[in-house]
Amino acid sequence: MIPVKELLVFALAAFGLVITPGPNMIYLVSRVVTQGRWAGFISLLGVVAGFLIHIMLVSFGLTAVLLTIPYAYLLLKSMGVCYLLYLALQAILPNSSGLFELKQGLANDTPRKLFSMGFLTSMLNPKIAVFYLSFFPQFINVAYGSILSQSLELGFTQVFISFSVNFLIILSASRMTSWFARNPFWIKIQKWFMASVLAGLAIKMAFEKAK
């Protein structure tokens, strides 16, 4: 079992990931705005299904890689630091999108298509794969037991956080989108807060010693 303290740090990283506008977030909130909350909920189930596929692939893959390839930890750690700094920079660029600055105008789809699109959006989202591959090794320690079980623990923690945050966003998406449209100043606050969290995690990860 991973210690609670380290699991909380990972949870913060997962939170930073989920509040960073990306394909999943844009798809979910756009669906709520154009087709209603139920469309958002169905799409979210598809997104979670995609997460589970990523988790299984990465968990079994990391078990093999970390046990057989020297310096794999250092390589994945460097990827994680660079990726966090990239996300932080993207968050504050002039043309970056805020959490609720979303395009509208999607056509109505059936529940089956909503689920499928959510699943594909999640499965084909490189942000998820990079997060799992580069972040999991930072929190895995052979002293805590099986690498596979630790990977699955981290994966399900990320899924729980992602589902919870997205569920709340779906409930409030329409109101929040309208509110941010009337108060653009808070878009900048949200972007800089998000960038600060991501940059702070990158610095912490950069100075983390191999386990």
Side-chain angles (χ1 to χ4, degrees):
M1 291 288 290
I2 299 172
V4 174
K5 182 179 179 180
E6 294 194 28
L7 203 57
L8 289 175
V9 175
F10 175 81
L12 180 60
F15 179 75
L17 175 77
V18 74
I19 66 171
T20 304
N24 292 344
M25 179 66 67
I26 292 173
Y27 179 71
L28 289 174
V29 180
S30 296
R31 277 300 170 195
V32 176
V33 172
T34 59
Q35 200 172 338
R37 290 177 179 173
W38 279 111
F41 293 143
I42 295 171
S43 299
L44 177 56
L45 293 178
V47 169
V48 169
F51 283 156
L52 296 177
I53 300 298
H54 275 295
I55 289 171
M56 294 304 171
L57 292 176
V58 171
S59 295
F60 284 98
L62 282 178
T63 301
V65 170
L66 293 178
L67 290 177
T68 59
I69 303 178
Y71 307 113
Y73 174 86
L74 180 60
L75 174 62
L76 293 173
K77 172 182 175 178
S78 300
M79 288 174 55
V81 171
C82 292
Y83 186 60
L84 275 175
L85 292 176
Y86 168 77
L87 290 178
L89 178 62
Q90 289 295 309
I92 58 175
L93 287 177
N95 296 326
S96 63
S97 296
L99 192 58
F100 293 95
E101 291 182 307
L102 301 169
K103 296 181 179 180
Q104 302 183 23
L106 293 177
N108 287 355
D109 286 323
T110 63
R112 180 177 180 179
K113 187 171 183 179
L114 289 171
F115 181 91
S116 299
M117 288 301 297
F119 176 78
L120 291 175
T121 300
S122 180
M123 271 296 298
L124 301 178
N125 185 355
K127 183 170 71 171
I128 302 300
V130 172
F131 177 83
Y132 288 162
L133 284 171
S134 58
F135 280 64
F136 279 25
Q138 322 306 324
F139 299 91
I140 291 175
N141 189 330
V142 292
Y144 302 151
S146 165
I147 292 178
L148 176 59
S149 63
Q150 291 180 66
S151 296
L152 293 174
E153 183 179 356
L154 293 172
F156 288 120
T157 298
Q158 186 273 331
V159 168
F160 174 77
I161 292 171
S162 180
F163 178 85
S164 301
V165 172
N166 281 311
F167 184 83
L168 293 175
I169 288 175
I170 286 172
L171 290 177
S172 59
S174 295
R175 292 183 181 179
M176 293 300 292
T177 300
S178 300
W179 189 86
F180 275 109
R182 296 192 304 268
N183 301 273
F185 171 76
W186 289 100
I187 289 287
K188 295 182 180 180
I189 298 297
Q190 177 257 319
K191 289 179 179 180
W192 279 98
F193 171 75
M194 181 169 58
S196 299
V197 171
L198 294 170
L201 288 169
I203 294 172
K204 180 185 183 303
M205 184 182 295
F207 290 97
E208 191 81 21
K209 294 183 179 180
K211 303 170 184 178

